[in-house]
Structures are given as C-alpha cells and as structure tokens.
C-alpha cells in the first residue's frame, strides 16, 4: 500500500471518523479478486446474508445480498494481497489511535440485481466488538446509473445530509462501525464487494 494512501485514511479517520479512498487496491488485484469472487459464487459457495438475528422474512426486507466469509489464511494470491493491505491499515490505525483493533472478519458480498441493504449501523446488539468497517468494491465500470450506491450519513445522528458513494472497483470506504448510519441502494446489476470489520480486543 502507498504511504499517501495511509496518510489520507489516517487523516480522514482523525478529522471525521470516516474516509473514502479511490484505488486503495491496484486494478490487477481488484480484477483478480472480482474473478475469484465470481468463481466462488458460481461454485455455490455463497449463502444468503443474515442480520444478526431475526426471522427470514424480516431479513429478506432488510438485506438481500449473499456472502462468503474469507479465512485469514486463504491462499489465493489476490486475497493474500487484500489481507496484507488490511493488515498494514490495522497497524497504522493502532499506532495513531487507541482503537485496539485486533482480528479482521471479512466476507465477499454479492448483491444481485434489485438487492439492497437498508439503513443500519454495523455494530449489532449481540456483538459490540466491531470497531472499524472497511469496504473495498470489486466492480468494473460502475456508473451511478447502475444503482447500488452506498448512502452514508456523515452525522452520527443518522439525520441530515447524505453522501452517495459509487461502488467503483478498488475504492475503500472506512468508518467507525458504531457511529455511522449507511444503506446500500438497490443495484441494477451484480454488485461485488469485500466487506471487513476490525474487531477490538
Ligand atoms: C454491510 C454494508 C455496504 C456496501 O455489509 O454491512 O453496509 O457498500 N455494506 O457494501
Ligand atoms: Mn453495513
């Protein structure tokens, strides 16, 4: 990872508690991760995502993506590069702030056409160890017309102005998991991401 990238992320977290950074991962790595995500999806390895608890019908209305958890020791070369980048980010954050980030839990997510994730916080009632969210998009040539924007509320009240983030391949979105409300608007074509949460010790 480039030093300027780390500097940008750390400054964003220090000033506001969140950061959007294009080209966090290089295009070759993003392309390889996209191919691997699609291959694992085609192999039937994904399952419908849950929301911590709740009836299936409720889950359906709240969130309609499918996911596959990534093991920390996954041997795929592009996954190794992703894990390496997230490890560098963790060390830098732990050096500069007092968040005590420990393990990263991460999954591939695929939102098929029409899928969404309604407004939520990433910290569940039954798991308050999620501290920093880090999402990396794996999409090729995404435009606003493809939908699937990440709607983000910069004010922790979850009210007021919003920012819509285009899930362009390689873009990183990171924010304090317990503070910021966000929502995935319906996608008009398959929308891919690697979504991770650093848990605190
Ligand atoms: C999530 C989430 C946002 C995105 O998985 O919790 O909010 O842009 N994802 O994929
Ligand atoms: Mn979320």
């Amino acid at each position: 990872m480039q030093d300027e990238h780390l500097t940008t992320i750390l400054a964003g977290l220090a000033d506001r508690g969140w950061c959007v950074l294009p080209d966090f991962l290089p295009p070759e790595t993003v392309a390889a991760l996209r191919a691997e995500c699609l291959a694992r999806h085609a192999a039937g390895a994904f399952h419908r995502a849950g929301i911590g608890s709740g009836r299936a019908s409720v889950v359906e209305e709240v969130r309609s993506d499918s996911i596959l958890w990534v093991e920390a020791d996954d041997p795929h070369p592009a996954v190794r590069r992703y894990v390496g980048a997230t490890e560098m980010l963790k060390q830098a954050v732990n050096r500069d702030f007092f968040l005590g980030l420990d393990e990263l839990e991460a999954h591939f997510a695929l939102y098929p056409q029409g899928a969404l994730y309604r407004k939520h916080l990433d910290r569940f009632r039954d798991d308050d160890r999620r501290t920093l969210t880090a999402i990396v998009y794996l999409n090729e040539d995404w435009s606003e017309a493809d939908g699937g924007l990440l709607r983000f509320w910069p004010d922790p009240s979850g009210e007021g102005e919003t920012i819509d983030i285009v899930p362009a391949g390689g873009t990183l979105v990171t924010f304090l998991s317990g503070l910021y409300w966000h929502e995935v608007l319906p996608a008009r074509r398959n929308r891919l991401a690697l979504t991770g949460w650093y848990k605190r010790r």
Side-chain angles (χ1 to χ4, degrees):
M1 194 189 342
Q2 300 167 26
D3 282 349
E4 311 88 84
H5 281 177
L6 270 187
T7 307
T8 303
I9 298 165
L10 294 172
L13 290 176
D15 294 347
R16 303 183 301 259
W18 58 275
C19 176
V20 179
L21 178 74
D23 299 318
F24 171 71
L25 293 179
E28 319 79 69
T29 303
V30 174
L33 288 169
R34 174 168 58 242
E36 189 59 17
C37 177
L38 290 171
R40 292 182 191 187
H41 186 262
F46 281 51
H47 58 86
R48 281 294 303 270
I51 50 169
S53 60
R55 284 179 294 124
S57 59
V58 175
V59 173
E60 188 99 15
E61 287 167 21
V62 171
R63 155 166 213 197
S64 40
D65 56 327
S66 291
I67 65 164
L68 174 65
W69 291 101
V70 176
E71 300 299 329
D73 60 356
D74 189 306
H76 187 278
V79 177
R80 299 300 335 133
R81 291 200 288 278
Y82 162 76
V83 170
T86 60
E87 186 61 30
M88 281 181 70
L89 176 55
K90 177 174 91 176
Q91 284 170 15
V93 169
N94 279 341
R95 193 183 57 221
D96 280 24
F97 308 108
F98 297 97
L99 294 175
L101 304 184
D102 191 13
E103 47 164 330
L104 176 80
E105 47 179 26
H107 62 53
F108 285 109
L110 190 146
Y111 289 69
Q113 195 175 8
L116 50 74
Y117 193 164
R118 294 202 192 281
K119 186 174 175 183
H120 65 280
L121 289 173
D122 280 349
R123 198 173 264 184
F124 299 131
R125 255 163 311 170
D126 56 352
D127 182 0
D128 69 350
R129 287 180 61 220
R130 283 184 171 185
T131 300
L132 187 70
T133 301
I135 308 164
V136 184
Y137 298 109
L138 306 179
N139 303 300
E140 191 171 28
D141 298 330
W142 198 272
S143 77
E144 258 183 71
D146 294 318
L149 301 173
L150 174 66
R151 181 156 291 171
F152 186 85
W153 279 261
D155 193 304
S157 68
E159 288 165 19
E161 72 161 295
T162 56
I163 297 172
D164 285 348
I165 298 157
V166 176
T171 295
L172 168 80
V173 180
T174 184
F175 53 87
L176 294 170
S177 307
L179 275 190
Y180 296 104
W181 292 87
H182 55 284
E183 156 173 38
V184 179
L185 302 178
R188 299 208 182 88
R189 61 178 172 104
N190 280 353
R191 176 195 194 272
L192 312 181
L194 255 173
T195 313
W197 297 270
Y198 297 97
K199 299 177 127 188
R200 64 179 159 67
R201 279 186 274 275

